[in-house]
Amino acid sequence: MQVGGIAALHTVLPRVLAAGDSAAPLQLTPKPGEVNLVGPDFPATEVWGYNGQVPGVPIRLTHGQTLDALVTNGLEVPTAVHWHGIRLPNAMDGVAGLTQPPIKPGDSFRYTFTPPDAGTFWYHSHVNAYEQVGRGLYGPLIIEEAAPPKVDRELTWMIDDWRLLDDASIKNDFSNGHDRSHAGRIGNVPTVNGRFRDVIEVQTGERIRLRIINASNARNFALTFTDLEPSIIAIDGQPVTPYKPEAEIIVGAAGRVDLIIDMTGEPESLTSVIDNFYRQSFDLVKFAYQKAPLRDQAPDTSIALAQSSIPEPDLNTATTHNVVLAGGAMGGLQQAKLNGEWMDLRQIARQGYVWAMNDIVANKPTMPPLVEVKQGQSVRLVIDNQTAFPHPMHLHGHHMKLLSIDGNPVREAHWVDSPLVMPRQRIEVAFVADNPGDWLFHCHVLEHHVAGLGALVSIT
Ligand code: C2O
Ligand code: CU
Ligand code: CU
């Protein structure tokens, strides 16, 4: 579809501090709703959202607070809620069929846990996620640091990518064969907080903390802020030593990046935030400077976050597991195991699967584990992407330290929960398997996961 014009100025999420404050749990109801995604020239889009909104109701806690949410299913299909990036007890992980039964229409499930880390996280459906997340079932989950860096304003951008028809309705072709075997469901309407081509008012001299959360089924972003020089202060919710990236800021599907941006543009000017990940670049949003500057020099206070308290893996005693990602279009996969049986790709594809991890096709939540370790063991994963597509590889219940890419140590080893592994790339991550349970490890291109790119990490 072709869309023009610029939507209204509404990219600040309302502040809701609902969970854990009192005895009453936060009411979270996945249900149908209507949201004007594309702008006033188009009709509203029928979505599925938490409490009917997109993004879902923002959840903010301070570090140490308990999240207590009663999820009541207002959809006509089963669902469950996953708290992406939170190191929580296995029974609260929200993976239907693995950590809990699906929540049937009209039924409820109560999630309570205390997030151990401050940072930028999100929550989303984990039942037929390729459709439920694709229709809008996601929301921000922010755990505030006790002493955050001083800023003038904090913004959260949940970025998404919709595949809409000309009447702005969602194209109902979820998880089709092409999306499964290629780059996933890449849409035609990228939004920030449910708005296409938004314009965000800023002031010259203002210091903003921007939390970016990529809730797309499949789209990765490579963002540039034109003449602005943002500093990255956290990746996937975990602090990094602040730095100004030389190239674009990559936010893979499911990934998060926290930035500090000093707004250095002239009053009344416009600055674009541009995506360059794919062949065609586009403006994701624009900043519009107000007439009155806030101050004429950037503040000189520290922007660093306190270090995270995730246990460091011991690389001397770590067990190493090689994980080969294979399959998909142009992937050259010949055969793999489905349901414990070797089959050639044609037989596998006939059942809707096209990907394999170490020659095994994931076709159900409970499977023999890919990695089996004792609690407390350090684990090193060498993830080798032998396919023609990027894969954001997400491990539930843990953060992994990204150590190297193609054998070259990264600038600073840092925690990730959904590292993007580019085609023909090999990354090395390590973590302490300190959280007991069976945990999903899967590609967060949701069409890839349902087409076989997943596995279990079992910790006893
Ligand atoms: Cu963000 Cu398996 O999930
Ligand atoms: Cu997750
Ligand atoms: Cu993938």
Side-chain angles (χ1 to χ4, degrees), residues 82 84 124 126 394 396 442 444:
H82 171 58
H84 185 115
H124 64 80
H126 219 295
H394 173 46
H396 283 221
H442 66 92
H444 221 286

Short mmCIF file of all heavy atoms in Angstrom, two decimals, residues 82 84 124 126 394 396 442 444, ligand 1:
data_model
loop_
_atom_site.label_atom_id
_atom_site.label_comp_id
_atom_site.label_asym_id
_atom_site.label_seq_id
_atom_site.Cartn_x
_atom_site.Cartn_y
_atom_site.Cartn_z
N HIS A 82 4.56 -14.42 27.70
CA HIS A 82 5.99 -14.60 27.95
C HIS A 82 6.62 -13.24 28.28
O HIS A 82 6.29 -12.24 27.66
CB HIS A 82 6.65 -15.22 26.72
CG HIS A 82 8.14 -15.26 26.81
ND1 HIS A 82 8.80 -15.91 27.82
CD2 HIS A 82 9.11 -14.72 26.03
CE1 HIS A 82 10.10 -15.77 27.66
NE2 HIS A 82 10.32 -15.06 26.59
N HIS A 84 9.76 -11.45 28.04
CA HIS A 84 10.98 -11.63 27.27
C HIS A 84 12.18 -10.95 27.93
O HIS A 84 12.19 -9.74 28.15
CB HIS A 84 10.78 -11.09 25.85
CG HIS A 84 11.94 -11.33 24.95
ND1 HIS A 84 11.88 -12.16 23.85
CD2 HIS A 84 13.21 -10.89 25.00
CE1 HIS A 84 13.06 -12.18 23.26
NE2 HIS A 84 13.90 -11.42 23.95
N HIS A 124 5.03 -10.61 25.57
CA HIS A 124 4.31 -10.92 24.34
C HIS A 124 3.69 -12.31 24.43
O HIS A 124 4.06 -13.11 25.29
CB HIS A 124 5.24 -10.80 23.12
CG HIS A 124 6.39 -11.76 23.07
ND1 HIS A 124 6.27 -13.08 22.66
CD2 HIS A 124 7.71 -11.60 23.37
CE1 HIS A 124 7.46 -13.66 22.69
NE2 HIS A 124 8.35 -12.80 23.14
N HIS A 126 2.97 -16.14 23.65
CA HIS A 126 3.83 -17.24 23.23
C HIS A 126 3.00 -18.45 22.79
O HIS A 126 3.40 -19.60 22.96
CB HIS A 126 4.83 -17.62 24.32
CG HIS A 126 6.19 -17.96 23.78
ND1 HIS A 126 6.43 -19.05 22.97
CD2 HIS A 126 7.39 -17.33 23.91
CE1 HIS A 126 7.72 -19.09 22.66
NE2 HIS A 126 8.33 -18.04 23.21
N HIS A 394 17.23 -16.45 20.46
CA HIS A 394 16.80 -16.07 21.81
C HIS A 394 16.82 -17.26 22.76
O HIS A 394 16.26 -18.31 22.47
CB HIS A 394 15.38 -15.50 21.73
CG HIS A 394 14.76 -15.22 23.06
ND1 HIS A 394 15.44 -14.57 24.07
CD2 HIS A 394 13.53 -15.48 23.54
CE1 HIS A 394 14.63 -14.47 25.11
NE2 HIS A 394 13.48 -15.01 24.83
N HIS A 396 15.62 -18.38 26.51
CA HIS A 396 14.72 -18.01 27.61
C HIS A 396 15.43 -18.18 28.96
O HIS A 396 16.28 -19.05 29.13
CB HIS A 396 13.49 -18.91 27.60
CG HIS A 396 12.47 -18.57 26.56
ND1 HIS A 396 11.12 -18.59 26.80
CD2 HIS A 396 12.60 -18.20 25.26
CE1 HIS A 396 10.47 -18.27 25.70
NE2 HIS A 396 11.34 -18.03 24.73
N HIS A 442 15.44 -20.35 20.62
CA HIS A 442 14.83 -20.36 19.29
C HIS A 442 15.09 -19.09 18.52
O HIS A 442 15.45 -18.06 19.09
CB HIS A 442 13.31 -20.59 19.39
CG HIS A 442 12.54 -19.47 20.06
ND1 HIS A 442 11.99 -18.42 19.36
CD2 HIS A 442 12.22 -19.24 21.36
CE1 HIS A 442 11.35 -17.61 20.20
NE2 HIS A 442 11.49 -18.08 21.43
N HIS A 444 13.92 -15.83 16.87
CA HIS A 444 12.79 -14.94 17.16
C HIS A 444 12.17 -14.35 15.89
O HIS A 444 11.29 -13.50 15.98
CB HIS A 444 13.19 -13.86 18.14
CG HIS A 444 12.14 -13.56 19.17
ND1 HIS A 444 10.99 -12.86 18.88
CD2 HIS A 444 12.04 -13.89 20.49
CE1 HIS A 444 10.25 -12.75 19.97
NE2 HIS A 444 10.86 -13.37 20.97
CU1 C2O B 1 10.34 -13.37 23.04
CU2 C2O B 1 10.31 -17.43 23.00
O1 C2O B 1 10.28 -15.37 23.04
#
